[in-house]
Amino acid sequence: MAPDSLHLLDLYNGEDKCIWITLPTTGQTPGKRYGHSMSYLKPYLVVFGGNVGNKITNDIWLINIDDGILEWKKLEPTGEGPCNRTYHASSVCRYGGANGMLIIFGGRSDTNLALNDTWGLRKHRNGTWDWVKAPYVNSYNPYKRFQVIFF
């Protein structure tokens, strides 16, 4: 099982080698998991989905890395959201109408099906969060996929 801790790779420690540092956090953690994604959505690290023990989930956890105290918080966005998934891709969009959204694509569902849906997680000025399902142009849907490995 994966560890339940947050680590930082210090590349600029004044020495010739990099070192790993375990960061102290407070609050309930996302729990030991694998197959999840972690993205930087300034000022947050956002953990989404993955496998927690024998259960695939679609939960979201935030930690504000600009705060002096690193406290995990479970996010409860409004609206319909993506199904439980693992081995998906996520990234923050920097252009167009989805600028500033965390984008989730594909993965494997808790029924072992490959997925090809795309979702955006956005934070509003009033501090609330919600999910938006991405529209597809000309009914084009990308191929279903998860855990892609290239040789």
Side-chain angles (χ1 to χ4, degrees), residues 116-118 133-144:
N116 68 339
D117 54 342
T118 305
K133 188 164 174 51
Y136 292 108
V137 178
N138 299 327
S139 299
Y140 170 76
N141 288 328
Y143 291 114
K144 296 178 181 183

Side-chain angles (χ1 to χ4, degrees):
M1 183 57 81
D4 187 15
S5 52
L6 183 63
H7 301 275
L8 168 75
L9 180 59
D10 185 354
L11 301 173
Y12 307 103
N13 63 6
E15 299 179 19
D16 290 336
K17 60 182 178 181
C18 304
I19 58 171
W20 284 100
I21 300 169
T22 301
L23 299 175
T25 62
T26 63
Q28 181 183 351
T29 69
K32 297 178 180 183
R33 65 182 61 213
Y34 62 91
H36 59 284
S37 62
M38 178 183 276
S39 300
Y40 178 60
L41 181 59
K42 189 175 183 174
Y44 305 103
L45 288 179
V46 181
V47 172
F48 172 75
N51 193 314
V52 181
N54 295 1
K55 182 182 177 202
I56 294 176
T57 183
N58 69 346
D59 59 353
I60 306 164
W61 291 82
L62 303 174
I63 194 164
N64 185 333
I65 62 172
D66 285 351
D67 280 351
I69 298 172
L70 298 173
E71 181 180 7
W72 284 108
K73 294 181 181 176
K74 186 173 182 183
L75 185 63
E76 302 286 351
T78 60
E80 177 191 358
C83 68
N84 296 350
R85 65 190 60 213
T86 188
Y87 303 124
H88 55 277
S90 74
S91 185
V92 175
C93 184
R94 298 290 178 211
Y95 305 98
N99 185 26
M101 282 190 203
L102 177 67
I103 306 299
I104 305 294
F105 171 75
R108 188 186 76 201
S109 73
D110 52 6
T111 57
N112 290 322
L113 296 175
L115 301 167
N116 68 339
D117 54 342
T118 305
W119 293 82
L121 177 67
R122 61 185 174 182
K123 182 179 181 184
H124 296 276
R125 289 185 183 141
N126 66 4
T128 62
W129 296 75
D130 68 355
W131 284 109
V132 177
K133 188 164 174 51
Y136 292 108
V137 178
N138 299 327
S139 299
Y140 170 76
N141 288 328
Y143 291 114
K144 296 178 181 183
R145 63 188 82 192
F146 65 91
Q147 197 176 10
V148 178
I149 299 174
F150 297 100
F151 294 96

